[in-house]
Amino acid sequence: MEFDLSEEQVMLRDTVRDVLTSTYDVETLRSVTDTDLGWSRELWNSLAEIGILGLVFSEDDGGMGAGPEELSVVMGELGASLAPEPLLGSVIVPGMLVARTADDAIRADIIGGLSSGERLLAFAHTEPGDRWPHAAVKTTAVGGKLTGTKTLVDHGDVADTFVVSARETDGTIGLYLVAADADGLTRSAYRTHDRRRGAQVELTGATGTRLGSGDASQVISDVEVATQSALCAEAVGAMTRALQLTVEYLKTRKQFGVPLATFQALTHRAADMYVSNELAQSMSTYFTAALADGDYDPIIASRAKLQICRSGRHVGQEAIQMHGGIGMTAEYPVGHYVSRLTAISHTLGDADSHLARLSGSVSEWDMVTVG
């Protein structure tokens, strides 16, 4: 894998960056995320027009045919701008599940609608009592009728169709398309501390359309790994911007008549933030490279996510500490970056969960280096 972006990837990054930075500053972000929707339909349409919504889907299905590297580039810009548009939860994740399981007719219909921005989906998988990486999938599917409860449905508040995991009578796990207005489906929307949206979905005999045949567990696992990669890239974008804001503050804020940057202790702490950010960037790049090679290894995902969690916590805490009280205010962006980094670190497993997975796999390694 090339560590430098190609000419096309640089153009993609710059295009997305221009669209996002021309839309959001901290005041605009607060006003948009305070609305019932929580994001901008106008910006959503712009992302559809430049092909971002169909980025990872095949050209035969109406997408752009891009890979994990391009998705990481886009997610990094979303993280740097804190854009709340639900690209991952409403398009990428459910779209990948549909693309891997649906027949030609359903796939063309769904992916085409996602790419044009006309449809919004959500993946309903997590249930009460689940703790990553274990998912009980107690929701049942009997004769195409689904019954169960799904929690933590990312942007389930606006989805017009849900992709629901359910256990069938023979014990296999299937994926079903369920319309949001179907009889027997109710949802309760909520807001999260990072100003995003989610929903809890109750299914009581709701009619679903089976996607493909056979057990969908491996598909769900692969898509979860791809989702982890996208979240890691978003976190790196947020960390990088938080570090930039901190360095700018140290150079301009004065104490005892001199800039804070003249105090050696603070510059050393800023240097440590830079090291943490570079470690996170390196692990995210390593993870993306593995996916580009078709390696959906959960262990690689946990290695990357563990470093992302640790770096995000360090960079976030130091950014607030060195900004002082202003770092905690809603009017200044640093606190919003820390909130988003915290949310990412608790999505699909926190640091302790990923460390536990890695510890459990030690016996499978040929060599272990401590330190």
Side-chain angles (χ1 to χ4, degrees):
M1 174 182 176
E2 293 289 340
F3 289 98
D4 295 326
L5 299 179
S6 67
E7 184 177 342
E8 291 79 11
Q9 290 166 345
V10 170
M11 290 176 61
L12 173 65
R13 181 199 64 191
D14 293 346
T15 300
V16 175
R17 181 177 296 175
D18 288 345
V19 170
L20 296 178
T21 56
S22 64
T23 301
Y24 285 122
D25 54 28
V26 66
E27 291 186 5
T28 308
L29 181 69
R30 289 176 58 212
S31 63
V32 168
T33 54
D34 280 340
T35 63
D36 289 339
L37 182 63
W39 46 277
S40 167
R41 286 278 186 186
E42 183 179 352
L43 178 57
W44 191 253
N45 293 334
S46 297
L47 294 174
E49 289 175 3
I50 61 177
I52 300 304
L53 302 188
L55 187 70
V56 301
F57 305 124
S58 75
E59 295 179 84
D60 291 341
D61 293 331
M64 300 293 288
E69 298 102 325
E70 287 75 19
L71 178 59
S72 291
V73 167
V74 172
M75 292 304 298
E77 294 305 316
L78 287 173
S81 65
L82 288 175
E85 277 61 36
L87 176 65
L88 195 61
S90 295
V91 176
I92 302 296
V93 173
M96 286 193 292
L97 292 167
V98 171
R100 290 180 174 226
T101 56
D103 60 33
D104 292 346
I106 293 178
R107 190 174 65 247
D109 177 45
I110 297 292
I111 301 301
L114 291 176
S115 300
S116 66
E118 297 170 352
R119 299 195 68 160
L120 296 170
L121 269 64
F123 180 37
H125 182 53
T126 306
E127 300 180 354
D130 284 352
R131 183 175 177 82
W132 190 91
H134 305 293
V137 190
K138 296 179 180 176
T139 297
T140 59
V142 180
K145 302 289 186 180
L146 277 62
T147 301
T149 301
K150 298 293 186 181
T151 60
L152 306 178
V153 182
D154 188 16
H155 285 96
D157 60 316
V158 292
D160 52 56
T161 306
F162 291 93
V163 179
V164 181
S165 61
R167 193 172 296 279
E168 300 177 339
T169 52
D170 62 356
T172 60
I173 295 174
L175 293 174
Y176 289 80
L177 285 178
V178 183
D181 58 358
D183 291 338
L185 186 149
T186 58
R187 58 181 163 189
S188 304
Y190 56 79
R191 300 186 181 196
T192 57
H193 65 80
D194 59 341
R195 309 176 84 86
R196 307 299 167 101
R197 303 291 187 273
Q200 175 166 310
V201 178
E202 301 280 350
L203 300 147
T204 52
T207 300
T209 301
R210 181 71 148 90
L211 292 172
S213 59
D215 193 283
S217 298
Q218 188 59 52
V219 173
I220 294 172
S221 176
D222 288 350
V223 171
E224 181 182 290
V225 170
T227 305
Q228 293 274 24
S229 174
L231 287 172
C232 288
E234 182 185 352
V236 170
M239 270 183 257
T240 301
R241 186 61 186 138
L243 174 59
Q244 290 171 348
L245 288 170
T246 304
V247 172
E248 290 169 7
Y249 185 77
L250 294 179
K251 289 179 177 177
T252 55
R253 180 75 165 89
K254 291 185 177 180
Q255 191 84 28
F256 306 114
V258 296
L260 291 175
T262 60
F263 296 102
Q264 194 174 48
L266 295 180
T267 57
H268 284 181
R269 289 169 65 179
D272 288 341
M273 291 173 66
Y274 175 81
V275 172
S276 285
N277 193 44
E278 287 297 298
L279 286 170
Q281 174 71 70
S282 297
M283 290 305 295
S284 179
T285 302
Y286 160 60
F287 190 6
T288 302
L291 285 185
D293 290 337
D295 188 0
Y296 289 77
D297 186 350
I299 296 301
I300 294 177
S302 286
R303 289 172 183 160
K305 186 68 183 296
L306 176 58
Q307 185 60 55
I308 291 294
C309 291
R310 288 174 170 174
S311 292
R313 183 178 177 85
H314 176 224
V315 171
Q317 287 182 338
E318 286 291 74
I320 286 182
Q321 286 288 328
M322 284 194 274
H323 273 87
I326 193 175
M328 292 295 292
T329 63
E331 292 76 15
Y332 197 75
V334 163
H336 298 286
Y337 284 103
V338 176
S339 181
R340 183 59 189 152
L341 286 169
T342 301
I344 290 174
S345 72
H346 286 84
T347 302
L348 297 178
D350 59 12
D352 289 343
S353 300
H354 288 282
L355 183 60
R357 168 179 271 183
L358 294 172
S359 300
S361 67
V362 166
S363 62
E364 302 170 8
W365 302 347
D366 296 330
M367 181 179 70
V368 176
T369 301
V370 179

